[in-house]
Amino acid sequence: MKAVIQRVIRSSVSVEDEVISSIGRGLCVFIGISRDDTKKDMEFIARKILSLRLFEDATGRKWGAGAKDRRLEVLCVSQFTLCSALKGNKLDFHDAMPSDRSQQFYDEFLALLRSNYEADLVKDGKFGAYMEVNIVNDGPVTVEIESPRRNKPADQQED
C-alpha cells in the first residue's frame, strides 16, 4: 500500500464539474492499493498519515505536530496508478488490487482512519470516478509512504 501525502492550504475533489469534497488546511492523501495488501498494511498507512509530523506544533516549532495533533482535515483520494510499473513507456497495473476488491479495501481503510481520528475531519473523493483534484500546496511538502513488504526481514520493517 502506498500513500502520497501533500500538506495543503486547501484541496477539493470534483466529479463532472461538481465539488464532492473539500478541505481547508491539512493533508491531501493519494492512496494506492496493491493486490497483496492486508489489514496490517492498512493500519500502518493510517497510523502514519495521522501522526506524520508535517506541521508546526503549538509553540511554533516546525515539523513538531501531525494532522491529528492539530485537528486538521484529511482528504483521501484513491489512485490506482500509484501501484503501476513502467513497461517501456506504458503503465502496467498488474500490481494494483483489482477494482472489485480494492473498493471494499479502500472503504475499510477510510473507516479505520475515521475511527482513529474524528470522522468528520476525514473526507474522500469518489472511488473509481474520473476526478479533478485541486490542491494548493503548503510549502510545498510532499511525502511518499509505502507499507513494509512482508518479504522484508523483520528487523528492517518500520513501525
Side-chain angles (χ1 to χ4, degrees):
M1 191 167 183
K2 292 182 183 180
V4 173
I5 303 165
Q6 294 191 316
R7 188 175 72 182
V8 299
I9 294 170
R10 66 183 166 276
S11 185
S12 65
V13 175
S14 299
V15 175
E16 297 179 6
D17 294 325
E18 179 185 340
V19 175
I20 60 167
S21 201
S22 65
I23 65 168
R25 189 161 191 236
L27 300 174
C28 182
V29 182
F30 297 97
I31 300 293
I33 303 169
S34 298
R35 69 173 182 251
D36 297 326
D37 285 337
T38 65
K39 184 156 177 98
K40 187 173 181 176
D41 297 301
M42 183 188 302
E43 291 166 348
F44 176 86
I45 295 293
R47 184 174 62 252
K48 288 295 187 181
I49 289 168
L50 295 176
S51 60
L52 190 62
R53 292 188 225 165
L54 299 178
F55 298 94
E56 67 280 348
D57 64 16
T59 66
R61 189 184 71 193
K62 290 185 179 197
W63 316 109
K68 189 173 181 178
D69 301 324
R70 298 288 313 273
R71 293 192 70 239
L72 299 172
E73 295 175 293
V74 178
L75 175 60
C76 292
V77 179
S78 64
Q79 188 172 347
F80 72 97
T81 59
L82 287 177
C83 297
S84 65
L86 280 179
K87 288 204 172 181
N89 291 325
K90 186 177 179 188
L91 294 176
D92 174 46
F93 301 107
H94 286 95
D95 286 336
M97 185 178 285
S99 62
D100 58 331
R101 290 181 32 224
S102 62
Q103 181 164 8
Q104 179 181 351
F105 192 93
Y106 180 71
D107 290 342
E108 289 174 19
F109 169 75
L110 288 173
L112 176 67
L113 204 58
R114 289 175 175 136
S115 71
N116 286 302
Y117 192 33
E118 295 180 40
D120 59 326
L121 295 180
V122 178
K123 314 260 175 92
D124 70 300
K126 184 174 181 182
F127 186 90
Y130 184 87
M131 294 175 272
E132 182 179 292
V133 182
N134 290 298
I135 298 170
V136 178
N137 282 15
D138 183 10
V141 173
T142 302
V143 177
E144 182 179 353
I145 296 175
E146 189 168 351
S147 58
R149 290 287 165 228
R150 287 171 294 289
N151 59 358
K152 228 185 208 185
D155 63 336
Q156 292 180 6
Q157 292 188 8
E158 295 181 42
D159 287 328

